[in-house]
């Protein structure tokens, strides 16, 4: 393990990575991999070390459900087909479940394209992007590419989005991004706060409500706001509770005239195994409650252990939470990686905190041992990480999570 820390190997691998053409980081797995593997361990091109506890990227260790796996397997021989109708089947299943009229749902290979296109469509050089801090950063990257001003508004003291401050921040904003529950804090913004933002936002702007983690939480979904034809786009993904991050499937849900603006940036054929597995997963009514309970139970046990040991954390309703590291977060990431436990990222506004994903019970037991050891260990020179070369920071496969 220690070899992964040596400066020599870091720079050798960094140099290899920098030979690749530069693209922007796209989304959450990008960020997680970027933070956890490029900075701390091995660059993006290498698989994680054998036996690593991977609680760094807000993935679901359970993977696709049994029925989804069977569907994926059965479709391998069909891999030569575009089979667009399979995307329509998914869209129709979701629309029926959520009582949405035709034309209110678009499917993408993950929610990342939907997030990027929404930001590109509704921000501009004169219409800013307003987001929470700490918050999920992918939209900021799209806003930057669009030349839009980015306004970061700190979370309220209860870690909800400070919607009043967000709305007050710019009368010319184009997009107010609300991630509910928030990534990285896993905290909730109430339906009342969201309704207030909607009622008070500037004309021509949209609320972009990212519900990637909604199924883990008690948060009230906002789809009724779309049903009522408001200026709202909701993002959903099959990467989280459905365990399909590697399959790539997500949805944009909004009024047809809003979704039309996203299509300007291109529509692609979706991976047929992904959309069909997503469709099967939606139809499995027990799946979400069952997985929500698994996550809640393990998260509660982890919080009980943290409390008992006097570690400071932010109570979360998601599959991730922020934990105080007592030192620069990157050093804690390095210390944990040395023990083969990959933990998540650090946000500049909370430099001494790290994000932890809730893994399996077995993984969280390993996490506890490694955390205690790391927390009690002195900071040593090998834990002070070199800065990332800019070429590596622009790596296309260092996806956010
Ligand atoms: N939105 C949030 C808040 C996320 O955390 C992530 C990924 O972790 C995404 C969107 C993108 O997910 P995907 O593209 O896998 O659907």
């Amino acid at each position: 393990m220690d070899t992964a820390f040596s400066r020599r190997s870091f720079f050798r691998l960094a140099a290899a990575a920098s030979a690749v053409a530069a693209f922007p980081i796209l989304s959450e797995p990008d960020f997680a991999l970027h933070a956890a593997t490029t900075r701390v361990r091995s660059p993006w091109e290498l698989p994680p070390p054998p036996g690593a506890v991977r609680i760094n990227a807000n993935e679901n260790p359970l993977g696709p459900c049994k029925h989804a796996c069977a569907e994926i397997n059965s479709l391998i021989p069909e891999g030569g087909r575009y089979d667009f109708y399979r995307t329509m089947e998914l869209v129709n299943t979701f629309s029926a479940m959520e009582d949405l009229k035709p034309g209110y749902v678009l499917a993408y290979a993950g929610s990342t394209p939907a997030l990027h296109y929404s930001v590109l469509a509704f921000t501009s050089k004169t219409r800013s992007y307003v987001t929470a801090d700490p918050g999920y950063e992918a939209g900021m990257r799209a806003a930057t590419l669009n030349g839009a001003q980015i306004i970061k508004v700190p979370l309220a003291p209860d870690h909800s989005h400070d919607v009043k401050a967000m709305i007050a921040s710019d009368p010319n904003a184009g997009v107010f991004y609300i991630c509910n529950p928030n990534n990285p804090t896993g905290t909730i913004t109430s339906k009342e706060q969201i309704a207030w933002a909607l009622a008070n936002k500037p004309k021509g702007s949209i609320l972009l409500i990212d519900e990637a983690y909604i199924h883990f939480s008690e948060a009230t979904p906002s789809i009724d706001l779309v049903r009522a034809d408001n200026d709202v786009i909701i993002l959903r993904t099959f990467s989280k509770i459905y365990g399909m991050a590697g399959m790539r499937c997500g949805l944009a849900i909004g009024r047809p005239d809003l979704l039309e603006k996203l299509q300007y940036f291109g529509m692609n054929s979706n991976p047929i195994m992904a959309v069909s597995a997503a469709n099967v997963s939606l139809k499995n009514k027990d799946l979400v409650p069952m997985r929500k309970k698994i996550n809640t139970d393990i998260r509660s046990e982890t919080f009980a252990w943290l409390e008992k040991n006097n570690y400071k954390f932010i109570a979360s309703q998601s599959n991730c939470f922020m934990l105080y590291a007592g030192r620069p977060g990157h050093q804690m990431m390095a210390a944990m990686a040395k023990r083969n436990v990959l933990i998540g990222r650090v946000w500049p506004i909370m430099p001494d905190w790290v994000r932890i994903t809730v893994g399996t019970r077995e993984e969280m037991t390993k996490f506890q041992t490694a955390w205690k050891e790391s927390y009690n260990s002195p900071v040593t020179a090998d834990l002070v990480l070199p800065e990332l070369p800019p070429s590596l920071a622009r790596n296309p496969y260092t996806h956010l999570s």
Side-chain angles (χ1 to χ4, degrees):
M1 290 301 78
D2 286 358
T3 54
F5 277 99
S6 82
R7 278 165 187 263
R8 205 175 40 164
S9 61
F10 177 88
F11 284 117
R12 178 175 56 76
L13 292 161
S18 67
V20 174
F23 294 89
I25 287 173
L26 290 178
S27 127
E28 170 67 37
D30 287 339
F31 278 130
L33 203 68
H34 169 72
T37 61
T38 57
R39 279 201 76 132
V40 175
R41 185 170 290 275
S42 52
W44 56 273
E45 64 207 307
L46 296 179
V53 172
R54 296 162 68 184
I55 50 173
N56 58 337
N58 287 0
E59 295 157 339
N60 189 334
L62 303 177
C65 69
K66 220 170 51 198
H67 300 293
C69 288
E71 182 75 2
I72 292 161
N73 270 322
S74 77
L75 283 177
I76 293 171
E78 301 302 314
R81 303 285 173 193
Y82 291 114
D83 275 357
F84 181 69
Y85 74 91
R86 293 183 188 277
T87 294
M88 287 318 299
E89 284 177 347
L90 167 66
V91 165
N92 291 340
T93 301
F94 185 82
S95 302
M97 279 172 66
E98 298 292 346
D99 196 18
L100 290 160
K101 287 177 280 192
Y104 281 66
V105 179
L106 288 177
Y108 289 94
S111 60
T112 296
L115 169 53
H116 277 243
Y117 299 163
S118 300
V119 175
L120 294 177
F122 293 97
T123 66
S124 66
K125 289 192 171 63
T126 57
R127 303 217 70 159
S128 64
Y129 176 76
V130 183
T131 184
D133 196 14
Y136 183 56
E137 310 94 320
M140 288 196 276
R141 306 214 164 191
T144 303
L145 291 170
N146 225 15
Q149 189 195 351
I150 293 167
I151 302 175
K152 291 161 114 182
V153 178
L155 291 174
D158 66 355
H159 303 107
S160 64
H161 284 59
D162 188 342
V163 291
K164 294 213 162 130
M166 287 176 81
I167 297 296
S169 70
D170 183 6
N172 287 317
V175 172
F176 296 92
Y177 175 71
I178 297 175
C179 187
N180 199 28
N182 190 40
N183 180 5
T185 51
T187 46
I188 300 300
T189 300
S190 72
K191 196 59 182 293
E192 291 70 32
Q193 288 167 297
I194 290 174
W196 187 92
L198 184 60
N200 291 282
K201 70 172 187 59
K203 248 201 160 91
S205 64
I206 62 157
L207 298 190
L208 181 59
I209 306 176
D210 190 335
E211 296 188 341
Y213 301 94
I214 193 106
H215 302 102
F216 292 113
S217 76
E218 297 303 316
T220 311
S222 289
I223 291 195
D224 61 310
L225 301 179
V226 170
R227 244 179 255 128
D229 283 334
N230 288 293
D231 297 335
V232 170
I233 293 179
I234 293 179
L235 305 173
R236 288 280 180 94
T237 179
F238 289 87
S239 296
K240 306 302 173 182
I241 207 152
Y242 294 104
M244 288 178 31
M247 295 298 298
R248 311 306 299 136
C249 190
L251 304 173
I253 305 139
R255 230 170 45 220
D257 64 295
L258 300 180
L259 296 187
E260 201 181 308
K261 294 194 161 60
L262 274 54
Q263 292 174 56
Y264 175 79
F265 299 96
M267 291 301 292
N268 200 352
S269 234
N270 284 307
I272 62 167
M273 290 171 207
V275 290
S276 289
N279 193 22
V280 164
S281 302
L282 282 182
K283 289 179 174 171
N284 179 353
K285 298 281 178 263
D286 299 333
L287 185 62
V288 167
M290 194 174 74
R291 289 190 165 191
K292 180 180 177 183
K293 178 166 171 15
I294 291 170
N295 180 70
T296 305
D297 289 351
I298 299 173
R299 190 183 65 218
S300 304
E301 289 161 20
T302 306
F303 287 176
W305 179 84
L306 291 170
E307 256 162 23
K308 198 171 117 206
N309 288 278
N310 293 318
Y311 295 119
K312 198 160 68 171
F313 63 95
I314 297 174
S316 147
Q317 288 198 24
S318 188
N319 71 338
C320 65
F321 60 92
M322 289 300 273
L323 180 55
Y324 179 63
R327 70 200 70 194
H330 285 113
Q331 287 173 3
M332 198 56 155
M333 289 172 69
M336 292 290 281
K338 215 172 171 180
R339 293 167 174 85
N340 217 13
V341 177
L342 305 182
I343 60 168
R345 317 190 266 117
V346 179
W347 270 253
I349 194 173
M350 300 176 76
D352 295 340
W353 295 68
V354 286
R355 190 193 62 195
I356 309 291
T357 302
V358 177
T360 61
R361 196 164 269 125
E362 191 193 346
E363 286 172 331
M364 296 319 276
T365 302
K366 289 182 180 163
F367 154 77
Q368 289 170 14
T369 307
W371 184 263
K372 202 166 218 171
E373 279 177 21
S374 303
Y375 203 91
N376 292 334
S377 302
V379 173
T380 53
D382 65 333
L383 297 181
V384 180
L385 298 164
E387 280 306 307
L388 261 190
S391 52
L392 204 55
R394 290 196 302 270
N395 178 335
Y397 298 112
T398 50
H399 182 87
L400 281 173
S401 56

